[in-house]
Amino acid sequence: DTGVSQDPRHKITKRGQNVTFRCDPISEHNRLYWYRQTLGQGPEFLTYFQNEAQLEKSRLLSDRFSAERPKGSFSTLEIQRTEQGDSAMYLCASSLPTGRAYNEQFFGPGTRLTVL
Amino acid sequence: AQSVAQPEDQVNVAEGNPLTVKCTYSVSGNPYLFWYVQYPNRGLQFLLKYITGDNLVKGSYGFEAEFNKSQTSFHLKKPSALVSDSALYFCAVSPYSGNTPLVFGKGTRLSVIA
């Protein structure tokens, strides 16, 4: 296992369509995070999981966004009725279990979404 | 609210010269501070972190950062820059203890000129 993987790497869709992204974290990392990065900005937190439990959702995560981690392994992020403002890089990160000091997050390569 | 400021959008430095990328933060409580680097078409890579202890933290690729509590700063430094250090650098803070989501600065583009 060489790192966090994300699929697809690029997605072009038309406004109003639904899209789904997948993230596979590093094995044994029980925390999984989703961030969004727009051009010229740093990543912004969307939501995160500990195992299958979704612990927190940002106010950025509108009701068109939903994330799951059904078995505590991979996670999916779905955007319904996409809008042009959803165009961004969606980043996934994972970290080791809590209780082992503060563990850094390891990031995947991201999924770049373009909404036409 | 917790925040991170990177006051420089771009830093230019000649190869072999020392470099500094600035970061200031605002959090309630004790800060957990990080630096990440982003190369084109690649994900963010962890460089170093400050949790507690020595104010000078050493990280990957010869980078180090100095935590200054009174100035609420966490500047990234390297004694001798390489052309290959050219990338986008992000400072981040965790507003809480434990493994919680990060708040990132907007990034600083470092350009090292041969």
Side-chain angles (χ1 to χ4, degrees):
Chain A
D1 194 333
T2 57
V4 179
S5 61
Q6 294 186 244
D7 183 70
R9 295 289 305 274
H10 303 273
K11 179 69 176 179
I12 299 174
T13 190
K14 293 182 179 180
R15 186 177 54 185
Q17 297 296 305
N18 299 344
V19 295
T20 299
F21 309 142
R22 176 179 169 128
C23 171
D24 286 88
I26 295 172
S27 298
E28 300 180 350
H29 281 196
N30 76 337
R31 290 222 166 176
L32 186 149
Y33 309 78
W34 286 100
Y35 294 84
R36 182 173 67 187
Q37 185 179 17
T38 54
L39 194 63
Q41 300 297 321
E44 296 175 297
F45 164 69
L46 293 178
T47 187
Y48 81 113
F49 295 83
Q50 177 166 300
N51 298 313
E52 64 275 11
Q54 190 171 20
L55 296 187
E56 186 179 345
K57 293 190 290 186
S58 163
R59 60 180 172 78
L60 295 175
L61 209 68
S62 76
D63 56 5
R64 297 186 296 106
F65 288 69
S66 62
E68 294 182 341
R69 195 182 182 196
K71 298 183 179 179
S73 56
F74 73 91
S75 175
T76 58
L77 178 69
E78 181 183 16
I79 309 174
Q80 296 182 327
R81 305 181 304 281
T82 53
E83 302 173 354
Q84 288 184 328
D86 298 331
S87 296
M89 177 76 84
Y90 290 83
L91 298 170
C92 178
S94 67
S95 67
L96 282 167
T98 56
R100 300 187 191 181
Y102 194 108
N103 298 302
E104 59 268 24
Q105 296 174 25
F106 292 84
F107 283 80
T111 294
R112 181 170 296 282
L113 173 65
T114 302
V115 182
L116 302 177
Chain B
Q2 291 77 19
S3 64
V4 173
Q6 294 182 244
E8 302 155 318
D9 291 337
Q10 174 100 24
V11 170
N12 298 319
V13 64
E15 186 176 31
N17 282 1
L19 69 87
T20 299
V21 182
K22 296 179 180 178
C23 171
T24 58
Y25 65 90
S26 174
V27 294
S28 54
N30 294 321
Y32 296 77
L33 295 157
F34 301 80
W35 276 101
Y36 282 83
V37 60
Q38 189 174 38
Y39 296 99
N41 300 316
R42 295 173 65 177
L44 278 79
Q45 295 179 31
F46 169 78
L47 280 179
L48 51 80
K49 64 184 177 184
Y50 172 82
I51 305 301
T52 187
D54 194 347
N55 289 343
L56 186 63
V57 179
K58 294 187 181 299
S60 306
Y61 313 120
F63 283 93
E64 58 189 26
E66 185 169 11
F67 171 66
N68 187 316
K69 187 174 184 178
S70 63
Q71 297 185 4
T72 61
S73 67
F74 189 56
H75 301 331
L76 182 70
K77 300 181 180 183
K78 187 173 183 181
S80 178
L82 301 173
V83 172
S84 57
D85 293 329
S86 299
L88 192 55
Y89 290 80
F90 291 97
C91 182
V93 64
S94 172
Y96 313 107
S97 61
N99 300 295
T100 53
L102 297 171
V103 175
F104 284 87
K106 65 178 182 180
T108 298
R109 185 165 299 281
L110 173 67
S111 181
V112 181
I113 304 163

